[in-house]
Amino acid sequence: MHLAYPAVLAALLFCTGLYGVLARRNAILVLMSVELMLNAVNLDLVAFDVWLRDTLHSGQALTLFTIAIAAAEIGIGLAIVLAVYRNRGSSDIDRLRDTAETDAGTGTADTGTDGHPATAENGTAGDATAGHTKNAEATA
């Protein structure tokens, strides 16, 4: 068997996965593209193992480790994507990036020392607390 056939196929799979990672906006499709890239590497590992006629079959052993790591990666990645989807309502990567930038840009003026919003109940000092206290006294 020629080494060129599986190597070209692996290169095409890897390029397809790379395009998917760079061009897709959906987080699940990005994870699928990463898996495609890992499978291209697995194909290369097995092809070189067969071509070199390794007696220890180290290419196939490395492929098994890669498959195990990929399974763990996709499990954790999918759990993160589902948690983000529940909280944000979208798994669009561009929207998540915009949300992170707007959260970081607001500063800490509206949060207390414990990370919660500044209110009169949590006892944090600041303009927001004073405003809430004055409004509460005015309506009482």
Side-chain angles (χ1 to χ4, degrees), residues 21 24-28 30 90-98:
V21 167
R24 297 292 176 190
R25 299 186 194 283
N26 191 348
I28 294 176
V30 169
S90 173
S91 62
D92 186 18
I93 294 174
D94 290 335
R95 275 188 63 191
L96 295 177
R97 187 180 307 129
D98 293 340

Side-chain angles (χ1 to χ4, degrees), residues 52-78:
L52 294 173
R53 292 186 176 86
D54 188 16
T55 57
L56 295 176
H57 298 292
S58 47
Q60 293 179 16
L62 241 102
T63 298
L64 289 175
F65 285 118
T66 307
I67 290 171
I69 290 171
E73 175 257 335
I74 199 69
I76 292 171
L78 191 58

